[in-house]
Amino acid sequence: MVAIEQDRKVTQLKTAAMTETTDTPTEHHVDLAVPGYHGQEVELGRETVGNVRCDNAFMVAENVNVYYGDNHAIRDVTLEIGKKQVVALIGPSGCGKSTFLRCLNRMNDTIETARVTGNILLDGTDIYSKQQDPVALRARVGIVFQKPNPFPKSIYDNVAYGPRIHGLAGDRSELDGIVHSSLERAGLLKEVKDRLEEPGTSLSGGQQQRLCIARTIAVNPEVILMDEPCSALDPIATARIEDLMDELCEDYAIVIVTHSMQQAARVSRRVAYFHLGYLVEVDDTDKVFTNPQHKLTEDYITGRIG
Amino acid sequence: MSTELTTRQKVEAGLARRRRKEFTFRLVGMFATAVGILFLVIFFATLLGKGSSAFSQTFLQLNVEFNEDVLAPNGELDLIYADFDGLIRTALLNELPDVSGRGERRELYRLVSIGAGYQIQEMIAQNSELMGTTQSIWVPVSANVDMLMKGNIDASLDESLRPLSDWQIGWINKLDQAGRLDKKFNTALFTNGDSREPELAGIKGATMGSFFMLVVTIALSFPIGVAAAIYLEEFAPKNRWSDLIEVNINNLAAVPSIVFGLLGLAVFINWMALPRSAPLVGGLVLTLLTLPVIIIASRAAIKAVPPSIREAALGLGASQMQVVFHHVLPLAMPGMLTGAIIGMSRALGESAPLLMIGMIAFVVDVPGSFTDPSTALPVQIYLWADSPERAFAERTSAAIIVLLGFLLLMNLTAVIIRKRMERKW
Ligand SMILES: Nc1ncnc2c1ncn2[C@@H]1O[C@H](COP(=O)(O)OP(=O)(O)OP(=O)(O)O)[C@@H](O)[C@H]1O
Ligand SMILES: [Mg+2]
């Protein structure tokens, strides 16, 4: 919190000396002038500023476009997600963060009108290729949704569902072990260990969200996508989830959508700022928060947008 | 500020009007409900008033001598051709010794139902030791006597205007005073098939026919309907073809039922050469009839499953099949079952299509299988309602009561299933 305040001051100091984002437009390149938030026009180019590449890239999105019917929701986004790192997606509401996130494990396949172009590689293989089974993909790339959505089954069955369908546990005791450790890591075990047979829907909103996180990590995915996982949580539970992310990112890649700058600053190694479907800026978290390259990013993180 | 109304004043100004509207709406609603309930009460009251008497039947107590000379004239009992009626007649004459002359006797014999002879036959068949003994047994009286005892025949009318003669009425009064006539529960109504004699006519044949038909219908239409609904909702690509199918299914639900009867006649009987009047064919026709209802109800139930549940399962890596069978189906099942039971109760009450496939035949035997000729409850009601005998009128009402009882039971089951299964949610 304090760090952010300081960051803001730094940012404001640097505003005067801001380098204008002047990406040289190529001919097939449609530039879009969007109204800025202080009256002046801000150029929103197709080129993302900052650094979309990273070392040790595990998931690579190249020139991804997503259309919902005629609605062009994601415009030519290129982004690499490295192993053992947390990437935070930030941006105003409706800018396409969830949409981009859902591309990464092909959840957009389930939306009739959605169409995805471009390449997304997971560990070098194209996840949108014909050979790729979305079922296998989703076991490797887990997702936690914006709204908690536990199954109307017992808490135990909620967490055990993924391991069961993928046959991850040899016997009942192994399954018990997975369920308990997943609940523990999601910071929920203490609250529910005596009522594992009660329906998951009987939990509070925040508990449900942690149940959903437990359910996702029970499958042991390689990449975890989290869509505002803490929007329904109190600060204690949020801290727990953030600790969990710290812990998980030692093994996995994590992509998190968040509306909280503080959270992004706390948990992520890199930050990607989306605006109207464009990926405006990506860089290391401290760079983005201390020295944003793009006017829109700066406006957003200093609280002048959204 | 003085001329400008505040928000609060504006709200308060409109409040009286809003309250009045709400009050009138409630009043109209209450009135509509009351009218509905009133008609229902009238309907049930008349039905019960007309039909309840059919649940009892007048019986006559006779001392029947199981005379060996009559039953086995040459020492051998012939269970089929033995003169059981003769025993009844003798017993009747013993009861009223002053009856003489052929005409008078014949009228006397008509007091007792022809079912009495069968009753004796059955007794002997079950216990041959009765031979030679005299037993006091209750036998059913004929329908006209029963009607007189129930007050449905006016004895004060001129003889030519009523089905019973003065003599017969005299004998009945005599027997009644001697305490020989008594009303008992009409078991024949539930254990017999149809009959030309009202006092012997029962709904068992029709009930069994309906039962066999519904078994066929539920066994076919529920799995097919649910499978079609799942396919259309979860797997079928949404394009012009699926739109066309959807429109057609909705239209099928509105097709007059008799058209399905014609279809059944053409396809199942004429083309597939299945037997006429059989519950199998009836069940197939009713399957066609209920399929659209079940498909529509099932699709609605599937649609009502929140998409977030589907996403959750898909996000964990469940296949489409697993999503459907682990999550969608359990949640949609109460709605599907309710739809199925509503479809079934519609099928149970349907008569028009059954007329087309010959289930209106007069069938005395209780059907024992899916291919035996039979009728169905609503058709039986139609047949009895068409009969001129006064005694059939009350049986018609009784059959309607039984049919309504079944429908009520089915709808109750639907409600209970829904309540039971929804609690999990
Ligand atoms: N299922 C859908 N069908 C059609 N359009 C959609 C669908 N989901 C999202 N969109 C559109 O795509 C754009 C991006 O939406 P998205 O949900 O990705 O935004 P977001 O950045 O996650 O916003 P928020 O922060 O409010 O969650 C919006 O314009 C939205 O209207
Ligand atoms: Mg979102």
Side-chain angles (χ1 to χ4, degrees):
Chain A
M1 187 70 207
V2 179
I4 288 292
E5 286 305 315
Q6 284 167 352
D7 292 348
R8 281 197 185 165
K9 275 179 203 143
V10 173
T11 317
Q12 276 155 8
L13 285 174
K14 292 199 173 172
T15 313
M18 266 280 297
T19 42
E20 270 303 334
T21 48
T22 47
D23 307 300
T24 38
T26 48
E27 61 277 10
H28 64 277
H29 179 187
V30 190
D31 269 9
L32 192 76
V34 291
Y37 290 82
H38 319 289
Q40 79 269 42
E41 300 261 297
V42 177
E43 210 151 83
L44 185 59
R46 177 173 139 178
E47 296 295 304
T48 306
V49 296
N51 186 9
V52 297
R53 308 287 161 192
C54 72
D55 317 326
N56 203 1
F58 189 57
M59 222 173 176
V60 181
E62 295 276 2
N63 304 96
V64 172
N65 283 281
V66 183
Y67 305 83
Y68 291 114
D70 294 334
N71 181 4
H72 196 168
I74 290 287
R75 295 167 186 261
D76 220 15
V77 168
T78 300
L79 180 63
E80 287 186 354
I81 294 147
K83 242 179 202 155
K84 304 187 184 192
Q85 66 171 220
V86 179
V87 176
L89 310 184
I90 59 170
S93 189
C95 66
K97 306 180 295 291
S98 300
T99 303
F100 181 70
L101 198 72
R102 293 164 58 95
C103 290
L104 300 180
N105 74 342
R106 294 186 59 175
M107 280 309 288
N108 280 338
D109 289 13
T110 60
I111 297 171
E112 207 73 37
T113 55
R115 197 158 53 80
V116 180
T117 66
N119 289 321
I120 299 178
L121 308 180
L122 175 66
D123 213 2
T125 51
D126 184 3
I127 64 168
Y128 278 89
S129 73
K130 284 235 160 62
Q131 290 84 354
Q132 177 66 57
D133 185 346
V135 167
L137 172 71
R138 289 173 195 145
R140 297 176 68 192
V141 185
I143 187 164
V144 177
F145 293 92
Q146 198 162 351
K147 268 183 271 171
N149 53 357
F151 300 128
K153 297 178 189 283
S154 73
I155 294 171
Y156 184 95
D157 287 340
N158 260 284
V159 183
Y161 184 69
R164 270 193 188 130
I165 57 173
H166 297 303
L168 300 184
D171 53 21
R172 176 79 191 195
S173 64
E174 206 177 324
L175 190 61
D176 283 349
I178 294 176
V179 170
H180 277 89
S181 68
S182 304
L183 286 169
E184 171 78 67
R185 290 166 88 184
L188 188 61
L189 187 63
K190 234 183 258 163
E191 288 150 79
V192 301
K193 67 169 173 290
D194 299 324
R195 44 184 191 138
L196 288 178
E197 290 315 313
E198 278 178 35
T201 39
S202 69
L203 297 173
S204 79
Q207 289 173 327
Q208 288 187 13
Q209 188 62 297
R210 278 179 282 153
L211 179 61
C212 293
I213 292 171
R215 187 174 66 182
T216 302
I217 59 181
V219 182
N220 210 4
E222 296 159 51
V223 180
I224 301 177
L225 312 174
M226 292 182 164
D227 199 345
E228 292 178 45
C230 301
S231 57
L233 300 188
D234 65 26
I236 299 167
T238 304
R240 215 173 277 157
I241 299 299
E242 289 175 2
D243 288 347
L244 170 68
M245 280 189 266
D246 280 344
E247 183 196 320
L248 289 175
C249 79
E250 282 165 24
D251 305 306
Y252 311 121
I254 297 178
V255 185
I256 176 174
V257 172
T258 179
H259 279 295
S260 157
M261 297 306 119
Q262 291 92 327
Q263 185 171 52
R266 278 193 301 263
V267 300
S268 67
R269 168 96 64 84
R270 291 163 72 225
V271 170
Y273 173 68
F274 282 77
H275 194 101
L276 291 178
Y278 291 92
L279 178 53
V280 175
E281 179 162 357
V282 192
D283 222 324
D284 288 349
T285 303
D286 44 357
K287 263 196 205 157
V288 173
F289 282 122
T290 52
N291 185 12
Q293 301 294 302
H294 200 288
K295 185 86 178 70
L296 286 168
T297 318
E298 194 210 340
D299 284 350
Y300 183 72
I301 61 178
T302 52
R304 273 174 274 175
I305 306 181
Chain B
M1 187 62 222
S2 53
T3 50
E4 283 283 292
L5 287 174
T6 64
T7 306
R8 190 178 152 188
Q9 281 166 329
K10 280 183 192 164
V11 169
E12 276 171 1
L15 220 49
R17 193 171 40 88
R18 280 199 250 171
R19 289 231 175 90
R20 213 163 39 241
K21 266 193 179 162
E22 190 171 319
F23 179 74
T24 3
F25 182 77
R26 277 189 192 193
L27 215 63
V28 171
M30 255 153 40
F31 177 72
T33 315
V35 169
I37 289 177
L38 182 74
F39 276 111
L40 205 66
V41 166
I42 293 174
F43 172 65
F44 276 112
T46 47
L47 202 60
L48 284 175
K50 274 193 190 150
S52 57
S53 57
F55 293 109
S56 68
Q57 154 80 23
T58 311
F59 284 82
L60 170 64
Q61 191 183 27
L62 284 179
N63 292 318
V64 180
E65 189 198 353
F66 289 71
N67 192 331
E68 262 169 289
D69 297 335
V70 178
L71 289 179
N74 28 21
E76 190 94 352
L77 171 68
D78 185 338
L79 259 179
I80 296 174
Y81 292 108
D83 187 13
F84 300 106
D85 293 340
L87 297 184
I88 298 290
R89 287 178 193 154
T90 318
L92 260 177
L93 281 177
N94 286 343
E95 214 60 55
L96 299 158
D98 12 324
V99 179
S100 59
R102 283 187 61 140
E104 245 178 282
R105 277 194 197 169
R106 200 176 292 147
E107 284 191 12
L108 175 64
Y109 299 155
R110 278 206 206 112
L111 293 187
V112 175
S113 162
I114 60 157
Y118 295 124
Q119 197 175 329
I120 303 286
Q121 181 185 26
E122 214 164 279
M123 285 174 79
I124 291 271
Q126 274 173 6
N127 183 5
S128 57
E129 281 172 20
L130 288 174
M131 198 69 97
T133 63
T134 301
Q135 302 286 332
S136 162
I137 56 175
W138 290 91
V139 296
V141 298
S142 70
N144 285 333
V145 179
D146 188 42
M147 286 298 103
L148 181 76
M149 295 302 289
K150 286 174 180 167
N152 290 336
I153 290 174
D154 188 357
S156 62
L157 284 174
D158 187 75
E159 192 174 12
S160 62
L161 294 176
R162 51 181 151 81
L164 292 170
S165 68
D166 290 341
W167 284 337
Q168 285 176 318
I169 288 179
W171 298 325
I172 291 165
N173 288 338
K174 216 168 184 180
L175 288 169
D176 197 16
Q177 271 147 29
R180 286 311 180 88
L181 288 173
D182 196 13
K183 282 203 200 102
K184 293 176 189 293
F185 182 70
N186 186 4
T187 41
L189 185 63
F190 297 99
T191 57
N192 285 6
D194 199 6
S195 171
R196 294 278 180 230
E197 312 300 327
E199 73 275 9
L200 297 180
I203 55 169
K204 189 173 179 196
T207 310
M208 289 310 285
S210 279
F211 171 75
F212 284 125
M213 276 194 319
L214 285 194
V215 168
V216 173
T217 308
I218 191 102
L220 289 176
S221 65
F222 190 65
I224 296 176
V226 168
I230 290 174
Y231 176 74
L232 288 173
E233 252 342 286
E234 300 281 344
F235 296 99
K238 301 272 176 291
N239 55 25
R240 212 176 301 159
W241 288 110
S242 57
D243 286 349
L244 192 75
I245 291 173
E246 167 142 28
V247 168
N248 272 306
I249 289 174
N250 290 344
N251 279 343
L252 274 184
V255 166
S257 56
I258 197 153
V259 176
F260 286 103
L262 282 170
L263 181 74
L265 178 64
V267 175
F268 300 129
I269 293 180
N270 291 348
W271 185 61
M272 289 170 71
L274 291 174
R276 227 165 242 278
S277 311
L280 176 66
V281 179
L284 288 173
V285 168
L286 294 182
T287 300
L288 296 179
L289 193 80
T290 47
L291 255 182
V293 178
I294 292 181
I295 293 177
I296 290 170
S298 300
R299 290 186 72 175
I302 291 172
K303 271 202 189 107
V305 174
S308 64
I309 298 293
R310 258 174 262 237
E311 286 204 320
L314 284 173
L316 283 174
S319 66
Q320 187 75 28
M321 263 301 254
Q322 287 171 325
V323 173
V324 169
F325 283 94
H326 296 163
H327 302 284
V328 176
L329 262 194
L331 293 178
M333 205 31 103
M336 290 176 166
L337 283 177
T338 317
I341 292 174
I342 288 170
M344 284 305 114
S345 42
R346 186 180 161 198
L348 177 60
E350 201 58 74
S351 57
L354 304 181
L355 307 185
M356 305 308 299
I357 54 164
M359 293 196 79
I360 192 160
F362 173 71
V363 183
V364 176
D365 293 327
V366 174
S369 79
F370 293 99
T371 46
D372 286 349
S374 75
T375 55
L377 264 179
V379 179
Q380 187 69 75
I381 290 167
Y382 169 74
L383 282 169
W384 282 353
D386 219 24
S387 304
E389 286 93 339
R390 179 67 184 77
F392 272 126
E394 65 173 27
R395 277 168 178 76
T396 308
S397 297
I400 293 174
I401 291 172
V402 171
L403 180 62
L404 285 178
F406 279 126
L407 291 176
L408 214 66
L409 205 69
M410 289 173 82
N411 289 335
L412 206 68
T413 321
V415 172
I416 290 172
I417 287 176
R418 203 166 43 203
K419 282 268 140 59
R420 271 270 167 81
M421 298 187 80
E422 263 173 3
R423 224 175 284 158
K424 278 178 149 184
W425 173 229

